[in-house]
Amino acid sequence: QVQLVESGGGSVQAGGSLRLSCAVSVYPYSSYSMGWFRQPPGKEREGVAGISTRSDCTSYADSVKGRFTISRDNAKNTLYLEMSGLKPEDTAMYYCAARSAYMCSTLRSALNNLDPWNYWGQGTQVTVSS
C-alpha cells in the first residue's frame, strides 16, 4: 500500500524557517517524481515545488522561488522542503505528491495541475504569524 506521510509543520513567526519531510512507502521511490503542494484556508490547492526522479530538475512557484528548496533522498525514501523567509501568506496545509514518471521539462506545468499526480499525503499544517 502506497503511503506518503508529511511531517515538520508548525507555527512560526514571519521570517522564520521550517523543514518539511515526506516519508514515502512506494517502490521504487527513485522512479517517482515528487512535488509539494499547499492549500491556504478557503483557497484551492496550488503547486509549490517539484523535483525529478534523479534530482536533476526542480521547479518552483514564483511565490516561493529563492525562499524554498525542494530535495529528496532516494536512499531514505524521503522528500524535503526547506522553507525560509516565511511569510503569513505561506500559511497553508502542505501536501506531498508522487507521480510514477520522470518529469523535467513538464515539472512546471505539472505543478499547475493536480491530475498528473498518482498519490497524495494527508498534509501537515504550516502557520506563519506576523
Side-chain angles (χ1 to χ4, degrees):
Q1 184 177 356
V2 176
Q3 277 192 314
L4 284 71
V5 181
E6 302 93 338
S7 62
S11 296
V12 296
Q13 290 194 326
S17 300
L18 281 174
R19 186 197 202 199
L20 304 184
S21 298
C22 174
V24 183
S25 64
V26 65
Y27 183 82
Y29 172 63
S30 59
S31 70
Y32 285 75
S33 294
M34 300 296 298
W36 285 101
F37 290 74
R38 67 185 182 187
Q39 188 163 14
K43 296 186 179 181
E44 293 186 350
R45 197 171 297 189
E46 60 184 16
V48 174
I51 189 166
S52 62
T53 57
R54 301 189 296 262
S55 302
D56 52 334
C57 296
T58 58
S59 183
Y60 296 90
D62 290 341
S63 58
V64 306
K65 204 171 292 184
R67 299 187 298 122
F68 291 10
T69 301
I70 189 171
S71 62
R72 63 189 295 164
D73 186 335
N74 286 353
K76 296 182 178 179
N77 280 31
T78 305
L79 176 72
Y80 302 101
L81 186 67
E82 296 273 4
M83 306 186 295
S84 62
L86 283 162
K87 305 175 182 180
E89 51 263 44
D90 294 318
T91 294
M93 185 71 78
Y94 282 73
Y95 300 88
C96 60
R99 184 186 180 192
S100 179
Y102 174 78
M103 292 192 290
C104 186
S105 60
T106 56
L107 257 181
R108 187 169 182 84
S109 61
L111 290 177
N112 293 326
N113 188 349
L114 305 183
D115 289 340
W117 302 90
N118 304 114
Y119 303 105
W120 292 86
Q122 293 299 308
T124 185
Q125 178 68 39
V126 172
T127 302
V128 184
S129 58
S130 57

